[in-house]
Amino acid sequence: MGVPLRSGNVRKPNEKMRLIVTTFAGVIFGFFLGVSFPTLSLTKMTLPSSLFPSIDLTYIEDKYSGLSTQAIFNALNSLKANKDVSVPPDKHNETKIWVPTNPPGAERLPPGIIASESDFYLRRLWGQPSEDLTIKQKYLVTFTVGYNQKATIDAAVKKFSENFTIMLFHYDGQTTEWDEFEWSKRAIHVSARKQTKWWYAKRFLHPDIVAPYEYIFMWDEDLGVEHFDAEEYIKLVKKHGLEISQPGLEPNSGLTWAMTRKRDDTEVHKEAEERPGWCTDPHLPPCAAFVEIMATVFSRNAWRCVWYMIQNDLIHGWGLDFALRKCVDPPHEKIGVVDAQWIVHQGVPSLGNQGQAENGKAPWEGVRERCRREWNMFQDRMTNAEKAYYEAMGLHPNLTMKHWD
């Protein structure tokens, strides 16, 4: 007698059909349930910024619009869990700003917000910014000073009208003491002990900072100005087309160069006769295209070039006077001495005394040695820089420069 088969081991045909129908009905029901809900827009949801800190939801939804909302959230949760995964930036996002013509470092800013220049105009702490300034000075004059020369500086400042911003560089650290003069309260004061005017100029007179000023006067502290008027000086500079200039020096004040000596028969001169052998070309320094660095006056455009030529570590400026001609063209016409407005060089060795006595030498002797050393270093750097440039251009001019001792 055979063993009967159990119904649990073998499915009957009607049970298989029931399973197929149930599965199909579930799929149909799920489909209609899904389409009955409105589309969920990720961009209209408010999510904590800490949840997805660097993900552009609009970008994801637009790029992968065929995915379901749940699938997108699953992807985002995976990104959040795995911090090593990065989302590439949207290269096609038109709202991102990049302006290559902006100043370096400011390419991400809209051009309309960029303020590339500044000034030394003093402003109030209150009121409307547009009402701060009753006058915008057209010129800048700087003096590198010690308090011991206060009488000379007071007399000099009074020769400059309200059209000038006054700036004092203090090499002795004394600043508030100058408030005994009323004009000092309107001046700009910068203090760093035992530094020269070229050290200050390189750090505080960037061309974009002094851009509002038509002319920049860079003067020493030991200049007599009894026969000088700044406004009249400016008129003559403009009249004769001088981009770099200085007042004529009184002949009896220890002159070094014939070019800077005051003449009595002219308003301005641009050339001179020097000692035999000093000038290889009558249009070159020290016979032309030359002024000294004690009382130099620069146009805005000339200063922009000169500032870049000042070496950051050569603080005395010796040698600059022979190289100023490289910043204007033609130099023998654009550089000159104003005779009708002249000054006296008093020759006070005040900054020289700020040096340090070494090896039995007085403080001023060490300073003078450094000045001469810097002069030769500057000339070597200029020669080497020009040589490298011309060689790169395939040119080989004669660039030997005389070292002045």
Side-chain angles (χ1 to χ4, degrees):
M1 187 172 176
V3 178
L5 297 175
R6 293 185 179 181
S7 60
N9 293 333
V10 180
R11 286 192 175 96
K12 296 179 180 182
N14 61 342
E15 291 179 344
K16 292 180 179 180
M17 183 59 67
R18 186 182 303 134
L19 179 62
I20 293 172
V21 171
T22 300
T23 302
F24 181 76
V27 171
I28 297 298
F29 176 77
F31 172 78
F32 283 104
L33 181 64
V35 299
S36 65
F37 285 95
T39 302
L40 176 62
S41 175
L42 289 175
T43 59
K44 296 181 180 179
M45 295 183 64
T46 303
L47 300 175
S49 59
S50 60
L51 184 58
F52 311 117
S54 61
I55 297 177
D56 189 335
L57 295 179
T58 305
Y59 170 75
I60 294 177
E61 187 173 11
D62 290 344
K63 187 170 182 65
Y64 303 104
S65 57
L67 296 177
S68 68
T69 299
Q70 186 60 45
I72 294 175
F73 268 99
N74 289 340
L76 295 178
N77 286 328
S78 298
L79 291 173
K80 182 66 177 177
N82 185 2
K83 295 182 179 180
D84 293 331
V85 177
S86 62
V87 178
D90 178 12
K91 297 180 180 179
H92 306 290
N93 190 342
E94 296 181 355
T95 64
K96 291 184 178 179
I97 296 174
W98 185 263
V99 186
T101 55
N102 282 356
E107 293 87 353
R108 291 179 174 83
L109 297 177
I113 198 61
I114 290 177
S116 60
E117 297 177 352
S118 187
D119 54 63
F120 293 120
Y121 301 146
L122 298 178
R123 293 184 174 272
R124 305 175 301 175
L125 302 181
W126 65 94
Q128 293 292 334
S130 60
E131 299 173 355
D132 283 347
L133 306 177
T134 58
I135 183 174
K136 289 186 176 181
Q137 288 84 9
K138 297 160 55 178
Y139 318 115
L140 171 68
V141 58
T142 73
F143 296 94
T144 304
V145 302
Y147 188 61
N148 289 339
Q149 302 303 318
K150 64 177 182 177
T152 302
I153 295 300
D154 179 48
V157 167
K158 291 175 180 177
K159 294 290 185 173
F160 293 85
S161 71
E162 63 178 4
N163 282 327
F164 286 80
T165 294
I166 308 297
M167 191 169 192
L168 299 188
F169 297 136
H170 300 271
Y171 62 75
D172 62 353
Q174 294 182 270
T175 56
T176 56
E177 291 83 352
W178 290 81
D179 282 350
E180 66 180 271
F181 304 112
E182 188 61 30
W183 56 260
S184 175
K185 300 173 184 177
R186 305 187 305 272
I188 308 296
H189 297 264
V190 181
S191 178
R193 291 180 181 273
K194 298 188 176 184
Q195 300 304 316
T196 72
K197 71 177 178 183
W198 301 107
W199 183 91
Y200 286 108
K202 189 64 174 178
R203 288 151 183 82
F204 299 102
L205 299 182
H206 186 280
D208 289 343
I209 300 298
V210 300
Y213 304 106
E214 295 180 28
Y215 292 93
I216 298 97
F217 289 61
M218 291 193 58
W219 280 24
D220 289 352
E221 62 179 340
D222 57 346
L223 303 176
V225 292
E226 182 181 354
H227 305 282
F228 178 83
D229 181 278
E231 291 285 354
E232 294 300 317
Y233 184 93
I234 293 292
K235 291 178 183 178
L236 291 172
V237 163
K238 292 181 177 180
K239 176 182 176 181
H240 293 274
L242 298 180
E243 296 288 328
I244 301 176
S245 64
Q246 74 163 78
L249 294 178
E250 198 273 331
N252 298 321
S253 57
L255 291 175
T256 303
W257 310 104
M259 177 66 183
T260 56
R261 182 183 297 119
K262 178 186 78 74
R263 298 180 185 175
D264 297 326
D265 57 348
T266 183
E267 291 181 335
V268 166
H269 71 269
K270 302 179 182 181
E271 58 185 23
E273 291 186 9
E274 270 293 356
R275 304 174 201 179
W278 277 29
C279 298
T280 58
D281 186 319
H283 287 165
L284 293 180
C287 289
F290 175 78
V291 292
E292 297 187 65
I293 59 175
M294 71 175 72
T296 325
V297 180
F298 303 94
S299 71
R300 179 195 294 121
N301 292 336
W303 178 248
R304 181 168 290 277
C305 172
V306 171
W307 185 89
Y308 284 101
M309 187 168 58
I310 298 171
Q311 303 294 285
N312 197 56
D313 58 330
L314 305 184
I315 61 172
H316 289 288
W318 280 37
L320 274 177
D321 41 13
F322 279 77
L324 294 176
R325 62 189 178 86
K326 299 180 183 296
C327 286
V328 293
D329 187 43
H332 63 278
E333 294 182 6
K334 300 294 185 180
I335 300 177
V337 175
V338 178
D339 299 291
Q341 297 294 321
W342 52 283
I343 59 176
V344 177
H345 185 211
Q346 299 171 347
V348 179
S350 49
L351 185 57
N353 290 333
Q354 297 289 310
Q356 182 172 325
E358 291 181 336
N359 302 321
K361 295 181 180 180
W364 69 267
E365 291 180 288
V367 173
R368 182 54 61 95
E369 285 182 3
R370 165 101 181 218
C371 289
R372 292 196 175 106
R373 187 180 305 119
E374 287 192 6
W375 192 350
N376 289 333
M377 291 173 67
F378 179 80
Q379 288 179 310
D380 289 340
R381 291 182 189 183
M382 179 62 76
T383 299
N384 292 336
E386 290 185 332
K387 180 180 179 182
Y389 169 80
Y390 288 123
E391 286 181 351
M393 299 296 292
L395 304 173
H396 302 282
N398 182 8
L399 296 177
T400 46
M401 293 182 66
K402 179 177 180 179
H403 279 227
W404 297 86
D405 298 321

